[in-house]
Amino acid sequence: MLTKGNLIKLFTFIVCLAMTQASIGKDLYMSPTGSDTNNGSASSPVFTITKAQALAEPGDVVHIKAGHYKYDNSQITDSISPYAIAFHMKKSGTADKHIIYKGEIVDGERPVLDFFNLRPDGLRVAAFWVDGSYIEIHNIEVVRVQVTMTGHTQSECFRIVKGSNNLINNVSMHDGMAIGVYIVQGSNNLILNCDAYNNYDKVGENGTGGNVDGFGAHVQTESSVGNVFRGCRAWHNSDDGFDLINCKAPILIENCWSFFNGYAPASFNKKGDGSGFKCGGYGMRQKIRNPSVIPVHTIKNCIAYFNRNRGFYSNHHLGGLKFINNTAYYNPYNFPMPNRKSVEEPVDVNGYGHVFENNISYRPRVPRPLISEVDSALSTFKNNTFLSDGPDLTDKDFVGLEAYELTLDRKEDGSLPDIEFLKLKADSYWGKKKVGYQWK
Ligand code: CA
Ligand code: CA
């Protein structure tokens, strides 16, 4: 019966439906067999992110269909010296209507965007150059990004140049010559559940591989705050796993695993610097930069294992860094903490101003102190397995020490696999004290 109450309910329902429709954008489609002369509908998919972006408006979702996308020089859309850019992400969403690019996962496989044949002469490569904001990219693999230059150079899978509030989620960047994600400027970008592995530039600088990190944040403005790496893994990158050497504003690295860095892929041939987490250094080259504020980066709930040189490394920072609930195992140096004395007097001194809470340093690969180059009177220590009165750790304190677990497949939602590696038995002395990465 059409009572007044029912009429109001019906009216409310229609209004709500209209509002829902208004807030949901259109669906666009990309396919390995698509064409950029198509209109992006399900039956007429496009081939490139460039074309999808041209068609997308805030609130829209670009569905990247499964399969292997093979890109070449004809996908270079822009050149900003010294970079050739494939996908210039310049169209922004809004705070409540992001533009979403989403890979379709079929049988656990994400779409693969392959840049092997994109080889411009005399230019670096940025597969994705991001200066838009409120953009989300989910569930893809970016593979085989190239370097063609022989001097000092680098390429990047994602270069975030000035965009803010972007999300890169469940993206894997591997088997290329490029850095995974490199942030130059912008705020509140979240790099979530991403992997960077088997990346080695064998062309530039005589194949030393000294610039290919898994992830880097090197923001050049103090206002570039709120950038976060969370749930990411870096392994077999020829330089470092994570690198903050030129980073002017604070970064959070959380729940990340870094191992086998500083070696060529699939081997243990020595290459670049080989730090799991290179956690600072901005302003140490006094003549180049003179920082007004020293950024305090935070490294939390992370694992550094079997990197070529160092686990968690302060890298001559000009001030203190925060290390909370991390686990370092079997790096030659697990926690080397040298600082620069000052901008005016750029000499190395034992680390000062650092904060260490609930960290594990277990068995450095060669007999060395559990923490090194630190001024224990000028840093803060609370509940760590080093510089403590507690018992030394032994293998028996751990649930597991099988490192292969670090490269297990991620869960369906992209989060890290459940592992036993380096987890403490809950009833052990240090387990009761909840040290290490596992208590997040
Ligand atoms: Ca290097
Ligand atoms: Ca590096």
Side-chain angles (χ1 to χ4, degrees), residues 154 179 182 209-216 218 238-245 272-275 278 315:
Q154 66 191 43
I179 296 166
Y182 192 95
N211 283 329
V212 186
D213 302 318
F215 300 92
H218 306 278
S238 61
D239 203 42
D240 306 304
F242 293 77
D243 195 336
L244 306 179
I245 185 171
D273 293 344
S275 291
K278 187 181 276 180
N315 192 36

Side-chain angles (χ1 to χ4, degrees), residues 312-433:
F312 298 93
Y313 180 34
S314 58
N315 192 36
H316 319 283
H317 206 52
L318 278 160
L321 301 161
K322 284 187 184 164
F323 298 91
I324 315 288
N325 279 96
N326 301 296
T327 300
Y329 173 46
Y330 214 60
N331 308 280
Y333 295 90
N334 277 346
F335 282 93
M337 289 292 145
N339 280 140
R340 283 281 200 264
K341 188 173 179 186
S342 66
V343 171
E344 295 74 27
E345 206 178 337
V347 295
D348 283 344
V349 293
N350 285 338
Y352 53 84
H354 301 305
V355 174
F356 301 91
E357 284 182 20
N358 311 333
N359 298 287
I360 292 175
S361 176
Y362 184 53
R363 199 173 281 181
R365 193 151 84 240
V366 286
R368 286 188 175 125
L370 298 176
I371 182 167
S372 49
E373 297 172 84
V374 73
D375 188 326
S376 55
L378 295 179
S379 289
T380 305
F381 297 86
K382 188 178 164 193
N383 198 40
N384 306 286
T385 66
F386 43 83
L387 300 179
S388 130
D389 296 332
D392 290 346
L393 282 166
T394 72
D395 286 4
K396 288 179 185 162
D397 292 315
F398 293 97
V399 180
L401 286 171
E402 298 287 352
Y404 78 89
E405 292 183 329
L406 291 171
T407 54
L408 288 176
D409 287 346
R410 288 177 174 274
K411 296 181 189 173
E412 213 163 305
D413 65 357
S415 60
L416 290 165
D418 292 325
I419 60 171
E420 295 185 340
F421 183 60
L422 291 172
K423 279 196 171 153
L424 285 172
K425 291 175 183 167
D427 61 353
S428 65
Y429 176 89
W430 289 108
K432 286 177 188 161
K433 290 188 169 291

